[in-house]
């Protein structure tokens, strides 16, 4: 084989690898753009809220909340990076804040929105770090997980998993 051909092959292989790497990074941005399009396409109305409490790996209880709410609970995401939630926990309120989305390990929404809690009467940040479990043209499922330690020896972690189901 001619020395020029060997050198050309050695240059072509890294070039192909670079092109493949750039194409892979563009694909992720396109996927995230697709998620943004669905998310910012209208008003999401809360259809269900289910809270599961785990002690370690054991499911202790599951609650379905807000069954008798007469207020429409709505979550709105706009393309400019602002979100609005109305009537959280069936309390007449409208709050707005910034939001961002990331897709590092899974699709995560982060927002600093502070909403009035029905239990303590204080503002909480329920969607500070929220996983998008399902997102379609007509449905959105968001999940938040809160962890705390019940005891240190043996270590027992309690998790409260909240799943918010929204419809268009």
């Amino acid at each position: 084989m001619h020395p020029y051909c060997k050198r050309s092959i050695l240059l072509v292989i890294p070039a192909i690898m670079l092109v493949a790497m750039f194409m892979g990074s563009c694909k992720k941005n396109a996927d995230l753009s697709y998620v943004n399009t669905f998310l910012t396409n209208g008003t999401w109305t809360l259809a269900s809220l289910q809270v599961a409490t785990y002690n370690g790996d054991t499911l202790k209880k599951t609650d379905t909340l807000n069954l008798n709410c007469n207020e429409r609970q709505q979550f709105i995401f706009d393309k400019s990076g602002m979100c609005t939630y109305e009537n959280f926990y069936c309390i007449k309120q409208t709050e707005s804040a910034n939001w961002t989305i990331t897709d590092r390990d899974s699709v995560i929404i982060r927002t600093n929105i502070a909403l009035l809690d029905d239990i303590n009467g204080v503002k909480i940040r329920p969607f500070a770090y929220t996983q998008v479990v399902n997102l379609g043209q007509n449905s959105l499922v968001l999940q938040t997980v809160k962890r705390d330690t019940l005891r240190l020896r043996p270590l027992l972690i309690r998790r409260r998993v909240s799943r918010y189901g929204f419809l268009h």
Side-chain angles (χ1 to χ4, degrees):
M1 186 185 262
H2 194 272
Y4 179 72
C5 291
K6 288 181 184 178
R7 195 175 297 156
S8 296
I9 289 173
L10 291 177
L11 291 175
V12 168
I13 291 173
I16 291 172
M17 290 173 60
L18 281 173
V19 169
M21 186 174 66
F22 285 122
M23 288 177 66
S25 66
C26 291
K27 183 177 183 269
K28 280 189 176 183
N29 290 340
D31 288 347
L32 200 52
S33 171
Y34 189 64
V35 169
N36 277 334
T37 300
F38 271 139
L39 197 59
T40 59
N41 189 21
T43 300
W44 296 100
T45 302
L46 184 68
S48 68
L49 171 55
Q50 188 175 44
V51 179
T53 304
Y54 294 86
N55 288 353
D57 290 338
T58 305
L59 176 63
K60 286 301 197 181
K61 68 178 182 174
T62 301
D63 295 319
T64 303
L65 304 178
N66 296 335
L67 294 176
N68 299 320
C69 182
N70 295 325
E71 302 292 332
R72 280 183 83 144
Q73 297 183 56
Q74 297 179 327
F75 212 166
I76 303 164
F77 298 90
D78 68 18
K79 293 179 187 343
S80 70
M82 292 295 292
C83 65
T84 303
Y85 201 107
E86 296 177 358
N87 305 322
F88 184 73
Y89 266 121
C90 223
I91 299 171
K92 276 227 178 257
Q93 61 181 314
T94 301
E95 297 292 336
S96 296
N98 296 318
W99 71 277
T100 59
I101 193 164
T102 176
D103 67 341
R104 181 165 286 175
D105 293 327
S106 60
V107 179
I108 303 292
I109 295 175
R110 293 177 182 257
T111 180
N112 57 354
I113 196 165
L115 300 160
L116 195 59
D117 182 334
D118 73 335
I119 299 168
N120 302 321
V122 297
K123 291 206 172 191
I124 60 171
R125 297 186 192 283
F127 303 104
Y129 186 84
T130 305
Q131 180 183 11
V132 177
V133 176
N134 184 28
L135 175 60
Q137 192 169 4
N138 297 312
S139 66
L140 168 65
V141 178
L142 300 177
Q143 176 175 288
T144 61
V145 179
K146 292 187 181 180
R147 293 177 180 88
D148 62 350
T149 304
L150 288 177
R151 65 175 187 247
L152 294 174
R153 292 199 180 111
L155 181 63
L156 183 60
I157 305 289
R158 177 174 49 200
R159 291 179 295 138
R160 185 174 181 191
V161 180
S162 302
R163 280 193 172 209
Y164 297 84
F166 295 91
L167 299 173
H168 262 303

